[in-house]
């Protein structure tokens, strides 16, 4: 069972996402194990301090190295071969082909969610991969981690229902996004489903879908 562990100061952010829909089902079916580690648990002193002021001055607080090193050590105890991933806008841009590779990996993953002001650079020495979800800055790595975990888990064989809907849909061939689809009724408020889709002509339908697939950039 593939393990995804997330180190975060806000583990409660993950409950709705991990306990719903496809990710809930993947855990129920024992295909994946999703868990969070509260970084605060490894905070220092009576106030469980996790951040501190930057050397050299400047605004804001940085995540201290010791709690993060301790949290990663704990996560590695649970899953010694796991790869450590740091969520950061400075990382490699996430994309579908990487999600596919990671869904096929034998090992698990440990995600470190930073906070907006930053982290002590020494934590990079713990990390196998740095990943960004796009060229914009979020308040923390939690939403990116959820996005990335979702995109991986749904590609693991057995997670989506019987049919290979993950394989035929958007991006899977690296070039095309999915084609427009319609369900009943065949006409709604004067808006009709294209005739070819009602024709039963499978070759014509396949051609129409190919012609109407959205092209990725
Ligand atoms: N943390 C803050 N912004 C981020 C981004 N765009 N990608 C990954 N982690 C982040």
């Amino acid at each position: 069972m593939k393990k995804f562990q997330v180190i975060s100061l806000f583990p409660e952010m993950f409950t709705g996402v991990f306990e719903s829909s496809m990710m809930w089902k993947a855990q129920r079916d024992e295909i994946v194990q999703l868990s969070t580690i509260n970084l605060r648990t490894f905070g220092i002193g009576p106030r469980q301090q996790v951040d501190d002021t930057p050397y050299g001055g400047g605004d804001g607080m940085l995540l201290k190295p010791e709690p993060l090193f301790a949290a990663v050590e704990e996560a590695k105890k649970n899953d010694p071969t796991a790869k450590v991933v740091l969520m950061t806008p400075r990382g490699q841009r996430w994309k579908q082909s990487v999600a596919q590779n990671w869904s096929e990996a034998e090992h698990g993953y440990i995600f470190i969610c930073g906070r907006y002001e930053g982290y002590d650079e020494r934590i990079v020495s713990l990390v196998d991969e740095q990943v960004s979800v796009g060229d914009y800055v979020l308040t923390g790595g939690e939403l990116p981690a959820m996005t990335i975990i979702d995109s991986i888990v749904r590609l693991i064989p057995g997670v989506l229902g019987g049919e290979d809907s993950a394989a035929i849909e958007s991006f899977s061939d690296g070039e095309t996004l999915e084609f427009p689809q319609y369900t009943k009724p065949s006409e709604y408020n004067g808006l009709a489903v294209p005739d070819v889709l009602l024709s039963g002509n499978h070759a014509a339908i396949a051609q129409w879908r190919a012609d109407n697939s959205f092209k990725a950039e």
Side-chain angles (χ1 to χ4, degrees), residues 28 80 84 103 120 173 184 207:
R28 182 201 62 187
V84 180
S103 77
D120 185 292
D173 62 3
K184 296 176 191 70
Q207 185 62 51

Side-chain angles (χ1 to χ4, degrees), residues 127-213:
V127 163
D128 300 299
E129 307 273 356
Q130 299 187 46
V131 174
S132 167
V133 291
D135 292 338
Y136 43 85
V137 178
L138 295 162
T139 314
E142 285 78 7
L143 291 169
M146 290 179 215
T147 301
I148 284 168
I149 293 169
D150 184 297
S151 70
I152 299 167
V153 172
R154 64 194 299 285
L155 295 174
I156 299 175
V159 171
L160 294 188
E163 82 298 333
D164 55 351
S165 47
I168 60 167
E169 73 187 22
S170 311
F171 290 117
S172 56
D173 62 3
E175 280 169 17
T176 53
L177 286 160
E178 67 182 16
F179 39 77
Q181 298 194 84
Y182 300 86
T183 185
K184 296 176 191 70
S186 61
E187 187 173 321
Y188 177 70
N189 275 358
L191 301 169
V193 174
D195 283 338
V196 59
L197 299 179
L198 309 175
S199 68
N201 180 338
H202 296 299
I205 292 169
Q207 185 62 51
W208 184 89
R209 286 178 168 172
D211 292 344
N212 288 277
S213 289

Side-chain angles (χ1 to χ4, degrees), residues 15-210:
T15 48
V17 170
F18 283 179
E19 290 172 13
S20 309
S21 182
M22 171 281 293
M23 290 217 250
W24 170 80
K25 211 177 123 265
Q27 293 171 91
R28 182 201 62 187
D29 296 346
E30 299 185 352
I31 298 169
V32 297
Q33 193 178 87
L34 308 177
S35 61
T36 55
I37 292 177
N38 190 341
L39 183 60
R40 182 69 61 187
T41 317
F42 300 94
I44 294 165
R47 294 181 48 241
Q48 295 185 290
Q49 188 183 352
V50 293
D51 56 6
D52 215 330
T53 53
Y55 279 119
D59 287 335
M61 302 284 276
L62 306 180
L63 291 178
K64 293 170 74 61
E66 312 94 303
L68 276 164
F69 274 75
V72 169
E73 192 180 318
E74 174 76 17
K76 286 253 172 119
K77 268 190 220 151
N78 299 331
D79 192 3
T81 61
K83 295 272 180 274
V84 180
V85 185
L86 177 64
M87 309 313 305
T88 164
R90 289 173 7 199
Q92 283 286 324
R93 176 84 70 88
W94 189 246
K95 55 181 184 174
Q96 186 69 14
S97 55
V98 183
Q100 184 66 49
N101 288 340
W102 290 26
S103 77
E104 291 165 11
E106 293 292 321
H107 54 77
Y109 289 96
I110 298 163
F111 294 89
I112 301 176
C113 302
R115 295 309 293 170
Y116 64 104
E117 283 158 338
Y119 44 80
D120 185 292
E121 193 66 24
R122 287 169 288 188
I123 72 161
V124 170
S125 68
L126 286 172
V127 163
D128 300 299
E129 307 273 356
Q130 299 187 46
V131 174
S132 167
V133 291
D135 292 338
Y136 43 85
V137 178
L138 295 162
T139 314
E142 285 78 7
L143 291 169
M146 290 179 215
T147 301
I148 284 168
I149 293 169
D150 184 297
S151 70
I152 299 167
V153 172
R154 64 194 299 285
L155 295 174
I156 299 175
V159 171
L160 294 188
E163 82 298 333
D164 55 351
S165 47
I168 60 167
E169 73 187 22
S170 311
F171 290 117
S172 56
D173 62 3
E175 280 169 17
T176 53
L177 286 160
E178 67 182 16
F179 39 77
Q181 298 194 84
Y182 300 86
T183 185
K184 296 176 191 70
S186 61
E187 187 173 321
Y188 177 70
N189 275 358
L191 301 169
V193 174
D195 283 338
V196 59
L197 299 179
L198 309 175
S199 68
N201 180 338
H202 296 299
I205 292 169
Q207 185 62 51
W208 184 89
R209 286 178 168 172

